[in-house]
Amino acid sequence: MKKIDRTRHPDLLELREVVATQLGKQGVVILPPMDIEMSSQLLLALGFHAQCCVLDPWYNKGVGGVREDYDDYLPQLLRCVAPLSDHVFLWGFPEIVARFVRILPEPLTLKCWLTWFYKNSPSRIRGWRSAQMTCLHLTTPAAVMHVENFLNDVQRDKMQQGKLMYIPGPPSVIEESLLCGFVGRNEQTGHPSQKPLSVIEKTLLMATARGELAIDLMSGSGTTGEACMANERFAILCDISDEYTRIAEERLGIERMKVNDSVLTLLASPENRLPQEGVALPAKHPRPAALRLQNRVNQLNLEIE
Ligand SMILES: C[S@@+](CC[C@H](N)C(=O)[O-])C[C@H]1O[C@@H](n2cnc3c(N)ncnc32)[C@H](O)[C@@H]1O
């Protein structure tokens, strides 16, 4: 596979600088609207590698419509992000994502089947009312699990005293209400499929340490960006929709970047498939954590070992 010689493509070099600088200034970069096939190629070309990738596509029903090729489409989405991140969190309904567990693209393997449990689905179906979504936690061999992010004060003290026999992890069932009606009103952005911040935050904390990078290339209202800002992680976001990109801009107080057409044309050519050598993240995050990490993890109410 041919590599792009960046020295012959000044636009690419310049963009790499701009993205790195904006991460240093804002902590979060919002790319202009584009398809995930293109944004993933762009990040590879620029040499970004993330620790965490949130992959939250439409679910082949409801607002996003129905795709005939969904069984091919979802593995293709995973192939797009697999070279870009150590952890991938694939969201969907259990009966849908279950089909993909056996056909995960290398080097991803299933680390954990996570369930988001909510009691407040407004569905009026005459039968079982939906109360769960699945998140497949997929990892590459390079992935590090950050269980230490879930310790409460008591556990942290015990660990410092060498009295914690092993570090307890959070439960694989996350119980949080859906954002609908009056629930989570302050958080709601108008995006039809917005995930609660507290749900995305738990996955982010398992996959990253402070100052590491998360990407979300189907980022909708920008929940991943907000979780990153609140916890001093860097984030690169992109969504195909102009409307949802605008929602994310307003929510995060950050304007989308410009990407020259010349760069996109270069990447559109199948022979220019990458990857490139890595780019270093800024040494310091620009925003001290807005939410106290400890407050968050205390809410998990973990048993002390
Ligand atoms: C389920 S929503 C994500 C919601 C998001 N996690 C949040 O909390 O706001 C799926 C998003 O994927 C975007 N999307 C759909 N197809 C896409 C594609 N091919 N490339 C990039 N984004 C896409 C949609 O515009 C939509 O905002």
Side-chain angles (χ1 to χ4, degrees), residues 35-37 40 53-61 65-83 88-106 108 113 133-138 217-218:
D35 189 283
I36 187 170
E37 299 256 357
S40 55
C53 171
V54 176
L55 192 56
D56 184 17
W58 295 129
Y59 313 113
N60 222 28
K61 51 179 163 180
V66 177
R67 290 181 69 118
E68 294 298 325
D69 64 344
Y70 204 69
D71 282 2
D72 297 327
Y73 177 63
L74 250 172
Q76 177 53 19
L77 293 182
L78 285 171
R79 279 192 288 276
C80 284
V81 298
V88 176
F89 293 94
L90 172 66
W91 283 94
F93 288 103
E95 68 278 17
I96 294 177
V97 292
R99 298 206 294 267
F100 304 105
V101 170
R102 282 164 175 259
I103 51 168
L104 297 171
E106 283 182 9
L108 294 173
W113 177 291
M133 281 198 78
T134 295
C135 177
L136 298 185
H137 181 184
L138 311 174
L217 304 181
M218 302 180 109

Side-chain angles (χ1 to χ4, degrees), residues 35-36 56 59 191 193 195 217-218 220-221 223 239-240 244:
D35 189 283
I36 187 170
D56 184 17
Y59 313 113
H191 188 286
S193 188
K195 296 274 170 308
L217 304 181
M218 302 180 109
S221 64
T223 310
D239 194 282
I240 200 166
Y244 300 150

Side-chain angles (χ1 to χ4, degrees), residues 5 8 10 26 43 46 67 145 148 185 225 230 234 260 287:
D5 177 0
R8 287 176 45 231
Q26 309 169 153
L43 293 188
L46 297 177
R67 290 181 69 118
M145 298 286 279
E148 73 283 359
R185 245 297 157 61
F234 295 102
N260 280 349
R287 301 183 195 238

Side-chain angles (χ1 to χ4, degrees), residues 4 37 65 75 77 85 110 151 179 229 246 250 288 294 304:
I4 291 179
E37 299 256 357
L77 293 182
S85 182
L110 181 69
L151 294 181
L179 298 176
M229 276 184 171
R246 210 169 321 119
E250 276 172 29
Q294 203 54 54
I304 300 165

